[in-house]
Amino acid sequence: MTDTQEATAADAGDRQAPSRRSLIGWGGAGLALGAAAAGGAVAMTRVVDDVDPTAAESGAAVAFHGANQAGIATPVQDRLHFAAFDVQTDDRAEFVRMLKDWTEAARRMTAGKAVGEGAYGGLAEAPPDDTGEALGLKPSRLTLTIGFGPSLFEKYGEKFRIDGRRPDALVDLPQFAGDALDRARTGGDLCVQACADDPQVAVHAIRNLARIGMGKVNIRWSQLGFGKTSSTTPDAQTPRNLMGFKDGTRNIAGTETDRLKKYVWVDGKDVTGTSDWMTGGSYLVARRIRMHIETWDRTSLQEQEDVFGRDKGEGAPVGKAKEHDEPFLKAMKPDAHVRLAHPDSNNGITILRRGYSFTDGTDGLGRLDAGLFFLAYMRDVRKGFIPLQRKLSAQDALNEYIQHVGSAVFAVPPGVRDKDDWWGSTLFSEEA
């Protein structure tokens, strides 16, 4: 699909930009986001699903505006910085102002531009608007995707006047067999997923949003990821996880409009009057899955292939020659991962995955703290991830080699429509 881009002419004479000096008190960030458009930001709109394989390797910008948020059906980038935030303010107006400032910053960063008035050249006595580490770098297909957690509605529903607007599908995940969740890596009132082909671009984005949010939100936990473990691009080579196996062979492609509509995007039929703000959005499940790398590396090749139900080289299902051959599930062992996770074994359950590998040093006992940061989007968590994970957690042979240690779920609202729209407007606008 081809992204269309519309240049937004900046007319400084028509805008009243606050002085940098008057903005020094904004959490110390000195951020003049209300005047950012006067710097000539490029506004981009995704007309349909934003899959442009020809731009995938060019470092180009991904359109920020569209019916759905970028970073879901977008071709999966190479790097990730994911952050979950907790809200610190009780002031609804202050929180909404932050969402608008975040949106303006996201517009600029995804277009490859500095935040606000930039990283240098401004008032010497004030902190610069941008931290500067992405200066000179390409947009690197940066996408920024926001979501709201169940706890936002539980803790701030009345204060933020969103009481009763929590969607039925935004449920707290149950405890699954084998879970060993670290509270410090679980939950969050809201999240931002930054994906890019350059890790510095992704880290820069989260860092600057955190600076803008100072005093209103703080980072509860975050995760860096590398080596995408699934693809949303048709005909692309299937990536491999840290266990050496191809991952995401049957993943939904960003060009598969019908499958996206059926399994990913929230439909008007899915919502009640109080949750219609989610129409065009999706639900995100994030799970930090630790891999017992040392145990796996001592496991025979035959057992490894039996655990997955595919061969390690080609990725072909048991008894087949090619990766994309239709699997014969009964030829696999009853506890093989592919057999248990396949839609034919789960009443057609299908989710869109865009996870990443991670390595975070060692655990203090000489073992790698490494694994999969699982990210999946779906139309309804209750009909997607929960029944699927209940089955896998109880029966999957892979459980001997992995453990879920972090978890969160978020409602991801629809996309930002145009230059006057902002993240969360369908939930927080008085008109809505």
Side-chain angles (χ1 to χ4, degrees), residues 348-415:
I349 290 176
T350 304
I351 57 180
L352 185 154
R353 290 178 289 152
R354 46 183 304 133
Y356 288 82
S357 296
F358 71 85
T359 55
D360 291 336
T362 65
D363 62 1
L365 298 173
R367 298 173 301 194
L368 282 175
D369 182 5
L372 167 66
F373 189 64
F374 173 91
L375 294 167
Y377 289 87
M378 65 212 73
R379 187 168 165 178
D380 192 322
V381 175
R382 300 166 300 177
K383 300 175 182 178
F385 180 78
I386 290 177
L388 183 59
Q389 182 57 23
R390 276 193 173 128
K391 184 174 187 177
L392 292 175
S393 65
Q395 304 176 42
D396 195 349
L398 193 57
N399 292 332
E400 182 179 347
Y401 305 98
I402 64 172
Q403 190 165 44
H404 291 238
V405 296
S407 178
V409 60
F410 300 96
V412 177

Side-chain angles (χ1 to χ4, degrees), residues 114-427:
V115 175
E117 295 179 23
Y120 61 91
L123 187 66
E125 294 78 10
D129 289 347
D130 189 284
T131 52
E133 71 272 25
L135 289 174
L137 299 180
K138 295 179 179 180
S140 299
R141 296 194 296 138
L142 172 67
T143 56
L144 293 166
T145 313
I146 194 171
F148 302 116
S151 57
L152 180 70
F153 297 86
E154 294 167 0
K155 296 187 292 186
Y156 297 95
E158 184 175 350
K159 295 170 183 175
F160 287 174
R161 300 200 294 277
I162 55 173
D163 204 22
R165 304 202 71 194
R166 174 177 171 176
D168 293 339
L170 184 60
V171 296
D172 293 299
L173 296 180
Q175 182 82 9
F176 297 104
D179 279 2
L181 303 183
D182 178 356
R183 289 180 59 84
R185 294 182 179 273
T186 297
D189 296 334
L190 66 157
C191 74
V192 178
Q193 171 194 284
C195 298
D197 289 326
D198 187 327
Q200 188 143 316
V201 170
V203 170
H204 168 264
I206 295 295
R207 178 182 176 185
N208 279 272
L209 294 181
R211 293 178 76 238
I212 297 167
M214 187 181 299
K216 281 81 73 177
V217 296
N218 70 286
I219 293 180
R220 178 181 177 88
W221 57 270
S222 70
Q223 181 66 58
L224 294 173
F226 68 92
K228 59 189 179 186
T229 60
S230 55
S231 174
T232 56
T233 306
D235 303 323
Q237 178 175 313
T238 306
R240 294 179 185 268
N241 57 36
L242 290 183
M243 289 178 163
F245 279 76
K246 292 184 177 181
D247 207 339
T249 295
R250 297 176 59 87
N251 201 33
I252 300 173
T255 52
E256 294 181 293
T257 306
D258 291 344
R259 292 183 80 199
L260 288 169
K261 182 178 180 180
K262 183 175 181 179
Y263 298 115
V264 178
W265 307 131
V266 176
D267 188 89
K269 295 177 291 187
D270 301 326
V271 299
T272 63
T274 57
S275 61
D276 57 355
W277 61 274
M278 272 296 293
T279 302
S282 190
Y283 292 94
L284 167 63
V285 171
R287 303 278 285 186
R288 188 177 191 270
I289 304 174
R290 170 87 181 270
M291 291 179 177
H292 304 310
I293 295 293
E294 291 76 17
T295 304
W296 179 258
D297 290 345
R298 290 170 173 80
T299 301
S300 70
L301 175 61
Q302 184 61 62
E303 183 173 343
Q304 289 184 2
E305 293 182 336
D306 287 343
V307 165
F308 275 98
R310 291 183 179 274
D311 74 66
K312 198 168 187 176
E314 167 62 25
V318 173
K320 303 290 183 175
K322 298 295 183 182
E323 175 192 352
H324 293 281
D325 289 348
E326 191 65 28
F328 179 52
L329 300 180
K330 291 184 178 180
M332 302 175 188
K333 289 186 176 294
D335 58 358
H337 179 73
V338 169
R339 178 171 179 171
L340 292 172
H342 195 280
D344 289 352
S345 301
N346 296 281
N347 298 314
I349 290 176
T350 304
I351 57 180
L352 185 154
R353 290 178 289 152
R354 46 183 304 133
Y356 288 82
S357 296
F358 71 85
T359 55
D360 291 336
T362 65
D363 62 1
L365 298 173
R367 298 173 301 194
L368 282 175
D369 182 5
L372 167 66
F373 189 64
F374 173 91
L375 294 167
Y377 289 87
M378 65 212 73
R379 187 168 165 178
D380 192 322
V381 175
R382 300 166 300 177
K383 300 175 182 178
F385 180 78
I386 290 177
L388 183 59
Q389 182 57 23
R390 276 193 173 128
K391 184 174 187 177
L392 292 175
S393 65
Q395 304 176 42
D396 195 349
L398 193 57
N399 292 332
E400 182 179 347
Y401 305 98
I402 64 172
Q403 190 165 44
H404 291 238
V405 296
S407 178
V409 60
F410 300 96
V412 177
V416 176
R417 295 162 295 181
D418 52 42
K419 64 183 179 61
D420 297 317
D421 198 9
W422 44 278
W423 273 338
S425 65
T426 55
L427 174 60

